[in-house]
Amino acid sequence: MIPSIGPETLLMFAIGGVLIYLAIAKEYEPTLLLPIGFGILVANLPLTELMTPGEGLIWRFYHYGVEWEVIPPLIFLGLGAHTDFGPLLANPKTALLGGAAQFGIFATLLGALALNAIPGIDFSLRDAASIGIIGGADGPTAIFLSSKLSPRLLGSIAIAAYSYMALVPIIQPPIMRLLTSQAERETQMVQLRYVSKREKILFPLIALSLCALLLPSAAPLIGMFMFGNLARECGVINRLSDTIQRSLINIVTIFLGLSVGSKLAAGEFLNVETLGILLLGMIAFAIGTAAGILMAKLMNRLTDTPINPLIGAAGVSAVPMAARVVNQVGLKANSQNHLLMHAMGPNVSGVIGSAVAAGVLLAML
């Protein structure tokens, strides 16, 4: 006998279908939204054994990959292997923009606690910290932190984080235009200096050492991120570096997407708290974008070398999409204004910043 399917399940089918549509038709983060959408369908289908605790295949992906905290560090390993720290090392002050963009994380933490005034919402401080990390626009970090502090909200937080990452080209440009003038958007920046191979090899080693000494709770993410980057830059393990950049991260991404989607069963997702998380995620992302831009404008008042304020929007961790959006908006203002490499500085520092913010929250809570 086939069990009946209620309206809540049908709504989850629709949500999964929308994510699959966005991945295929619009190409919004397809490597993540497609497996997440498929995972939602599996989690809500009757008569499926894929989610059976202790036996189901996708249950095992989630249990061993997310609960055992294996998948997020491996994603950071792949991100590190894809990252070029050259723009950040060539212009270190852009790290301030990546740091400023993390303001959205802590502002949203307070906002989550304020939502407790609404009936049906009961966010603890640990819940609020997990929700706030959405503002970093860093899906793996959001999953890593929420799996430790607030597993019950993992599915909602992950879907919010990855959805807003996918919608960067839609969300950020209006904020960027609102907070900058035409003259500011037209600002051209000087050519970046050459960064030597020695600098690129030493940076991940120094960064990891500082993290281990000052904030060991962030070491799983920062450590794998820096090792991936070292594998890229050292030039002696190209075969391993290629594997990390391609095969490994692709396989892990499949497991991650299916695991996240599997936590979005109708009974767990459709509630007032989820709506609050989605709203707060949007606010967090907007605040992070605005804070980076405003920091860039402040730096222009304090330094002689002009900075295009648009690159502050790349301080969120959506690598490299945020940097590409900055470049597109800059080119619309001035066809000779190529900002991609300049924006990669705050973009990669934003990845480090979100991991550091997660480590701070873990250490405090």
Side-chain angles (χ1 to χ4, degrees):
M1 179 179 179
I2 299 177
S4 59
I5 297 178
E8 297 87 357
T9 303
L10 291 176
L11 179 56
M12 293 308 299
F13 286 164
I15 292 173
V18 168
L19 295 183
I20 292 174
Y21 169 78
L22 291 175
I24 296 174
K26 301 298 184 180
E27 297 186 10
Y28 288 163
E29 292 286 340
T31 56
L32 282 166
L33 292 191
L34 184 61
I36 289 176
F38 187 82
I40 292 174
L41 299 182
V42 170
N44 291 279
L45 279 173
L47 299 179
T48 178
E49 297 182 357
L50 292 173
M51 288 302 302
T52 304
E55 299 179 2
L57 178 63
I58 296 181
W59 179 89
R60 293 179 187 273
F61 291 165
Y62 174 78
H63 178 68
Y64 295 111
V66 177
E67 287 187 334
W68 283 24
E69 300 166 13
V70 173
I71 288 179
L74 288 179
I75 292 289
F76 264 73
L77 175 66
L79 290 175
H82 277 96
T83 298
D84 180 6
F85 282 117
L88 177 61
L89 295 174
N91 193 4
K93 65 183 179 183
T94 58
L96 296 174
L97 304 179
Q102 309 313 311
F103 178 76
I105 293 175
F106 298 96
T108 306
L109 185 154
L110 299 177
L113 294 176
L115 281 185
N116 285 334
I118 299 176
I121 294 181
D122 183 20
F123 292 138
S124 67
L125 184 57
R126 294 165 71 91
D127 293 337
S130 300
I131 295 168
I133 207 70
I134 297 172
D138 189 339
T141 303
I143 291 173
F144 179 79
L145 187 64
S146 57
S147 67
K148 283 178 169 288
L149 298 183
S150 185
R152 72 183 185 89
L153 299 178
L154 174 63
S156 302
I157 290 172
I159 201 69
Y162 280 114
S163 295
Y164 294 138
M165 284 175 63
L167 295 175
V168 164
I170 297 174
I171 298 173
Q172 283 199 315
I175 300 173
M176 296 159 71
R177 288 191 290 267
L178 177 65
L179 296 179
T180 59
S181 65
Q182 179 68 20
E184 287 175 327
R185 293 194 292 275
E186 292 177 354
T187 302
Q188 292 185 258
M189 298 180 65
V190 298
Q191 180 72 30
L192 293 172
R193 71 172 180 85
Y194 171 76
V195 178
S196 68
K197 182 177 179 178
R198 177 178 296 178
E199 290 177 276
K200 291 185 176 182
I201 290 176
L202 288 176
F203 178 77
L205 297 174
I206 295 172
L208 174 59
S209 300
L210 291 175
C211 175
L213 290 172
L214 302 177
L215 196 61
S217 55
L221 298 182
I222 297 294
M224 296 302 282
F225 187 62
M226 293 305 168
F227 174 68
N229 184 254
L230 182 61
R232 167 197 172 100
E233 301 296 352
C234 69
V236 296
I237 53 170
N238 292 333
R239 184 163 56 89
L240 295 183
S241 178
D242 289 342
T243 299
I244 294 171
Q245 293 183 44
R246 299 177 184 178
S247 303
L248 179 61
I249 195 170
N250 288 336
I251 293 170
V252 174
T253 299
I254 293 171
F255 293 162
L256 175 64
L258 292 174
S259 299
V260 169
S262 72
K263 298 301 292 179
L264 295 174
E268 300 177 11
F269 184 76
L270 298 177
N271 52 57
V272 178
E273 287 188 339
T274 297
L275 295 177
I277 290 171
L278 294 175
L279 174 62
L280 286 169
M282 174 68 78
I283 294 173
F285 192 78
I287 292 175
T289 300
I293 295 172
L294 294 176
M295 174 58 78
K297 297 179 73 166
L298 175 63
M299 291 171 65
N300 276 337
R301 291 181 176 272
L302 301 176
T303 62
D304 296 329
T305 305
I307 296 175
N308 190 311
L310 292 177
I311 71 170
V316 296
S317 304
V319 178
M321 187 180 294
R324 290 174 180 167
V325 171
V326 166
N327 190 58
Q328 291 169 1
V329 176
L331 286 173
K332 287 182 180 179
N334 179 354
S335 61
Q336 303 301 314
N337 200 8
H338 299 280
L339 297 174
L340 181 60
M341 295 308 297
H342 297 284
M344 285 303 298
N347 210 184
V348 299
S349 69
V351 177
I352 299 174
S354 64
V356 168
V360 170
L361 293 172
L362 279 175
M364 293 173 59
L365 301 177

